[in-house]
Amino acid sequence: MRRFLYILLFPIAAFFSNYAVAQGGSAPAQAIEFTKRVHNFGKISVNEGAKHCSFEFRNISDKPVVISNILSSCGCTTPKWPKKPIMPGEGGKVEVTYLNDQGPYPFDKALTVYTSASTKPIILRITGLAYENERSVKEMFPTAIGPLGVKNNVIRGGQIAQGNAKSGNFKIANISGKSVKVEFAGASAGLELSIDPATIPGNGVADISYTIDTRKAKNWGNTTYTAYVVCNGTRAATPISIECMIIDNFSGISKEEKNRAPMLLAENSSYNFGTVRKGEKVKATFNLRNTGHTLLKYHKIEKKPEIEIITKTGLNPGEKSTLEAVLDTKNCSGEVIYTLTLITNSPNRPLVNLFITGTVE
């Protein structure tokens, strides 16, 4: 009887031993391979009700793998997946329901897939354009770039820490009636782009994915990255522009280093020059002090071309200094407000804004 139980239980024990190994993370980081990671529903009416799609996958490792959880970025998107272990070579699918109850707008929802094979999740996305009263593609993407169109002439990339890379995506439409093969040329250093699909049918929509790598070129503050689209071999005259704000990187500093870091204090953050005649030059003075314990540096001072800055490049601990901003008002009229943005090496105040206001007659 004992021998019989041993024979019966041995394969079960072996299975759970393998399963435990898979959970322990010795399986490859990408043990689950999806045939696609993005599903584009295209244009859908808000009156069509819920939409469904699926993502097929296969276990390409030599261990059993379990999909432990899938988190949705929105309650409007519900995933279903196999709960049992996926054996090596076996496949399955993640079924997704999008409720389509968010109103008329472009949507992009993320599904974060956690497996027993890796602590690094897999990201799936569903995208599309929901409309109420159907509009033409040209109306939805009004900014023309050759035969293509985008929603805005500038894509906002947000903040990026120096030395890091950041990725994002946006939609581009073919506003012509003929298919267009899209390639990219003349991209700024540090900007990489890809498009799916590479050939957009007439009045169709594609996804552009981009990555900005700040290690490729040393920039600070507001930085615009550009690239040209080449449509059927012809380069468009207007480039794609992606703007971001590059600040110092404080991810590796300790609590003690942060406590001893520089700190910029502006005794006056605004300067009002009153009323002046057009063409006069105005000098705005700001009193600054480093209240921290280490050297304060100005990586860059963002300003308009009509302003000249006179200041030191940094402040020692406890040091006081003035920043002078000379404004040429020859192109100003009425009430004006200018912003100076100081990009510093202070983890507590990496960006400091100073304001110049007044009236030009």
Side-chain angles (χ1 to χ4, degrees), residues 136-155:
S136 69
V137 172
K138 192 171 183 177
E139 289 175 314
M140 291 188 286
F141 296 87
T143 302
I145 301 178
L148 307 178
V150 291
K151 290 180 67 67
N152 302 293
N153 59 347
V154 176
I155 310 301

Side-chain angles (χ1 to χ4, degrees), residues 136-138 141 145-150 171-182 195 199-206 231-232:
S136 69
V137 172
K138 192 171 183 177
F141 296 87
I145 301 178
L148 307 178
V150 291
K171 295 187 180 299
I172 192 165
N174 178 359
I175 57 179
S176 74
K178 300 178 181 179
S179 65
V180 174
K181 181 181 179 181
V182 180
I195 187 167
T199 299
I200 313 174
N203 299 312
V205 179
C231 304
N232 292 336

Side-chain angles (χ1 to χ4, degrees), residues 235-285:
R235 194 176 88 165
T238 305
I240 290 173
S241 297
I242 304 173
E243 282 188 357
C244 63
M245 169 66 75
I246 302 176
I247 63 172
D248 210 332
N249 193 334
F250 308 107
S251 59
I253 68 171
S254 65
K255 184 178 180 180
E256 182 181 352
E257 288 173 322
K258 189 172 182 179
N259 291 336
R260 291 188 54 78
M263 171 69 81
L264 179 62
L265 175 66
E267 294 180 4
N268 61 310
S269 59
S270 63
Y271 184 95
N272 186 293
F273 57 77
T275 301
V276 300
R277 291 187 176 276
K278 190 183 188 70
E280 288 186 39
K281 288 190 176 182
V282 175
K283 181 187 291 184
T285 302

Side-chain angles (χ1 to χ4, degrees), residues 90-296:
E90 290 186 353
K93 60 183 177 180
V94 175
E95 297 177 335
V96 180
T97 298
Y98 174 62
L99 293 179
N100 190 21
D101 61 353
Q102 304 294 293
Y105 77 116
F107 60 89
D108 191 335
K109 309 297 180 181
L111 296 160
T112 305
V113 182
Y114 294 91
T115 76
S116 61
S118 174
T119 57
K120 183 178 181 180
I122 299 170
I123 307 299
L124 307 176
R125 291 173 37 234
I126 61 168
T127 66
L129 288 166
Y131 61 87
E132 188 168 22
N133 298 316
E134 186 169 8
R135 295 183 297 162
S136 69
V137 172
K138 192 171 183 177
E139 289 175 314
M140 291 188 286
F141 296 87
T143 302
I145 301 178
L148 307 178
V150 291
K151 290 180 67 67
N152 302 293
N153 59 347
V154 176
I155 310 301
R156 306 297 177 185
Q159 286 189 359
I160 309 177
Q162 188 66 257
N164 286 355
K166 184 176 183 180
S167 298
N169 58 80
F170 59 93
K171 295 187 180 299
I172 192 165
N174 178 359
I175 57 179
S176 74
K178 300 178 181 179
S179 65
V180 174
K181 181 181 179 181
V182 180
E183 298 171 292
F184 300 103
S188 301
L191 175 63
E192 293 185 0
L193 301 126
S194 63
I195 187 167
D196 184 29
T199 299
I200 313 174
N203 299 312
V205 179
D207 288 300
I208 290 182
S209 298
Y210 67 86
T211 298
I212 294 172
D213 189 344
T214 62
R215 295 167 296 185
K216 302 295 184 180
K218 193 68 170 287
N219 296 304
W220 290 103
N222 284 318
T223 304
T224 301
Y225 293 83
T226 60
Y228 288 89
V229 291
V230 180
C231 304
N232 292 336
T234 301
R235 194 176 88 165
T238 305
I240 290 173
S241 297
I242 304 173
E243 282 188 357
C244 63
M245 169 66 75
I246 302 176
I247 63 172
D248 210 332
N249 193 334
F250 308 107
S251 59
I253 68 171
S254 65
K255 184 178 180 180
E256 182 181 352
E257 288 173 322
K258 189 172 182 179
N259 291 336
R260 291 188 54 78
M263 171 69 81
L264 179 62
L265 175 66
E267 294 180 4
N268 61 310
S269 59
S270 63
Y271 184 95
N272 186 293
F273 57 77
T275 301
V276 300
R277 291 187 176 276
K278 190 183 188 70
E280 288 186 39
K281 288 190 176 182
V282 175
K283 181 187 291 184
T285 302
F286 299 91
N287 298 312
L288 307 176
R289 181 159 59 100
N290 178 8
T291 61
H293 302 280
T294 52
L295 176 67
L296 174 76

